[in-house]
Amino acid sequence: MSKAGIFETIVGALVILVAGAFLLYAYGVSGKASRGAYDLSAVFGRVDGVNVGSQVRIAGVKVGTVSAHALDQATYEARVALRIEKGVKIPEDSIAKVVSDGLLGGAYISIEPGASDSMLADGGAITQTQGSVDLLGLAVQAFTSNAQKDGGSAPEVQ
């Protein structure tokens, strides 16, 4: 084998190793890897901005990911499946909230731990939830209520 052939073989092997490392990293970040985790569920009125793979945080620290979400056809609420790291115990009276990650960012699930001594087990459900807030709807509502107080006319430009 010539020197060029050996060099090409080494470069090809390095490319394959880097691609494999990237795939392992992507799999670990995706939340699909089950390195000792358990499942919880929660039902929200709105989950705007929360997607599969969104973070689950306690005190701003990532403790899990959203593994699935779907519409409950009977109640028209969003059912969200959470994958929580095995070492993190969630009290059964905890509250789950949909929190915006900034003005233009997505959203994540924030868990505020309760004071109960009983912890949620694999397959358990967080029953106290607060869905996302529609900021645009609130702004429109505030503007229209101010316009109605002013007699329904738009402010004059001077």
Side-chain angles (χ1 to χ4, degrees):
M1 191 181 263
S2 69
K3 286 187 177 183
I6 292 172
F7 178 73
E8 289 175 355
T9 302
I10 291 172
V11 169
L14 285 174
V15 168
I16 290 172
L17 283 172
V18 169
F22 174 75
L23 287 174
L24 286 174
Y25 171 76
Y27 184 71
V29 171
S30 71
K32 299 291 183 186
S34 60
R35 290 174 270 140
Y38 64 101
D39 296 315
L40 295 178
S41 65
V43 177
F44 295 91
R46 297 178 67 104
V47 290
D48 299 321
V50 174
N51 298 308
V52 173
S54 292
Q55 293 184 0
V56 177
R57 300 179 191 173
I58 296 177
V61 178
K62 180 183 175 188
V63 296
T65 57
V66 173
S67 57
H69 59 68
L71 178 68
D72 184 331
Q73 296 284 334
T75 63
Y76 296 105
E77 293 178 313
R79 292 197 170 276
V80 179
L82 311 173
R83 191 106 176 112
I84 307 296
E85 294 173 8
K86 198 61 142 185
V88 178
K89 303 297 181 198
I90 309 291
E92 67 180 5
D93 61 344
S94 297
I95 301 170
K97 297 180 178 182
V98 176
V99 179
S100 176
D101 209 11
L103 288 176
L104 299 176
Y108 63 93
I109 305 293
S110 176
I111 297 177
E112 294 181 9
S116 176
D117 291 333
S118 299
M119 302 297 164
L120 291 168
D122 188 15
I126 298 175
T127 57
Q128 298 179 57
T129 62
Q130 178 182 329
S132 60
V133 177
D134 180 14
L135 294 177
L136 182 59
L138 286 174
V140 168
Q141 189 177 36
F143 179 75
T144 56
S145 70
N146 282 339
Q148 289 174 353
K149 286 180 187 175
D150 294 336
S153 61
E156 293 182 26
V157 178
Q158 296 181 359

